[in-house]
Amino acid sequence: MPRPLLVTADPAALDDLLRLVALAGVQGDAVSDLTEVRRLWEDAPLVLVGEDLLDRLVELRLSRRDGVLVLGRDLDDAGVWQRAVDVGAQRVVFL
């Protein structure tokens, strides 16, 4: 069964993302290697992206898909919204 894809290299963001999927009663595939992200991108039922890797994901030019959310850290960072749009995210969430 496909699991949510958790994309970040930031330990604090990873901790937050792992807690989120645990609250939903599932386990996620935590990935920071972009080759692995490319391999899992299409089949993951949900993709949760830490803002630390947004620029690198944009460079990958991954296909647009539903179910992509970005975990933002700073409500005052207007750039996170543009980078989220560039990667095809449906929402930016802040914890």
Side-chain angles (χ1 to χ4, degrees), residues 5-17 30-34 37 48-60 69-74 77 79-81 83-84 87 92-94:
L5 181 59
L6 314 176
V7 181
T8 185
D10 176 352
L14 179 58
D15 186 49
D16 289 339
L17 294 173
V31 177
S32 61
D33 176 82
L34 297 182
V37 170
L48 301 169
V49 179
E51 70 175 282
D52 61 300
L53 292 182
L54 277 176
D55 291 333
R56 295 184 63 206
L57 286 181
V58 170
E59 292 171 5
L60 283 181
L69 305 174
V70 170
L71 175 63
R73 290 283 180 201
D74 181 1
D77 178 9
V80 71
W81 299 97
R83 293 189 317 270
V87 82
V92 177
V93 295
F94 297 88

Side-chain angles (χ1 to χ4, degrees), residues 41 64-69 83-91:
W41 183 259
R64 299 286 180 165
R65 50 151 299 158
D66 290 335
V68 178
L69 305 174
R83 293 189 317 270
V85 167
D86 291 345
V87 82
Q90 293 174 298
R91 288 188 172 60

